[in-house]
Amino acid sequence: MGGPHHDAQRHDVPEADAFTRPYWAAAAEGRLLIRRCAACGRAHHYPREFCPHCWSEEVTWEEASGRATLYTWSAVHRNDLPPFRARVPYLAAVVDLAEGPRMMTELVDCPERAVRAGMPLRVAFRDGVPVFTPTGR
């Protein structure tokens, strides 16, 4: 299980497909995209081809503001999968985006002792992956 191919594989970035390619291309440019439904008006994340609220297929990409609040988190002290092994300890987090959707992510540039639910965050990008950091307010 821990052979050379196991160590070379990354486990932190999903494989982009034709549908998610715009999301990952925007992230590589430092922009966070979400999907918004034209039928019910609600935004959602992770990207889907239909609205998870009303099942409409009238959904489009929209650039998010990048603002969020921390909903919950967990300090991860052990993860043997690359590249997480080199990052421990890290803060796995769930944030509420200003536009409404809840998103799984990582909280960076914040000591664990300073973390509190409801703290304001802003998006940042590490290697084309959205992560969140405190706004300092």
Side-chain angles (χ1 to χ4, degrees):
M1 216 155 181
H5 294 294
H6 175 76
D7 291 339
Q9 183 179 3
R10 289 195 53 167
H11 297 275
D12 61 332
V13 180
E15 189 172 318
D17 59 24
F19 175 71
T20 61
R21 204 163 282 120
Y23 176 84
W24 293 111
E29 297 171 356
R31 298 180 303 119
L32 178 63
L33 296 184
I34 57 175
R35 300 281 281 174
R36 183 163 308 270
C37 178
C40 73
R42 293 177 72 181
H44 62 271
H45 184 82
Y46 64 92
R48 286 164 267 201
E49 295 184 55
F50 61 90
C51 175
H53 307 290
C54 74
W55 300 96
S56 171
E57 294 180 1
E58 297 179 53
V59 290
T60 56
W61 293 107
E62 172 183 304
E63 188 166 347
S65 67
R67 292 176 293 119
T69 57
L70 183 62
Y71 176 71
T72 191
W73 72 96
S74 180
V76 179
H77 294 275
R78 182 178 174 144
N79 188 333
D80 290 334
L81 297 173
F84 300 107
R85 178 183 307 133
R87 294 183 190 159
V88 292
Y90 63 89
L91 297 171
V94 177
V95 302
D96 288 327
L97 299 177
E99 293 78 10
R102 195 163 271 169
M103 177 180 176
M104 292 180 64
T105 187
E106 184 178 343
L107 184 58
V108 298
D109 301 327
C110 184
E112 185 178 352
R113 68 185 178 284
V115 178
R116 60 179 168 69
M119 67 190 298
L121 306 170
R122 64 176 168 76
V123 73
F125 293 86
R126 179 181 58 215
D127 300 326
V129 176
V131 295
F132 282 79
T133 186
T135 62
R137 296 177 196 188

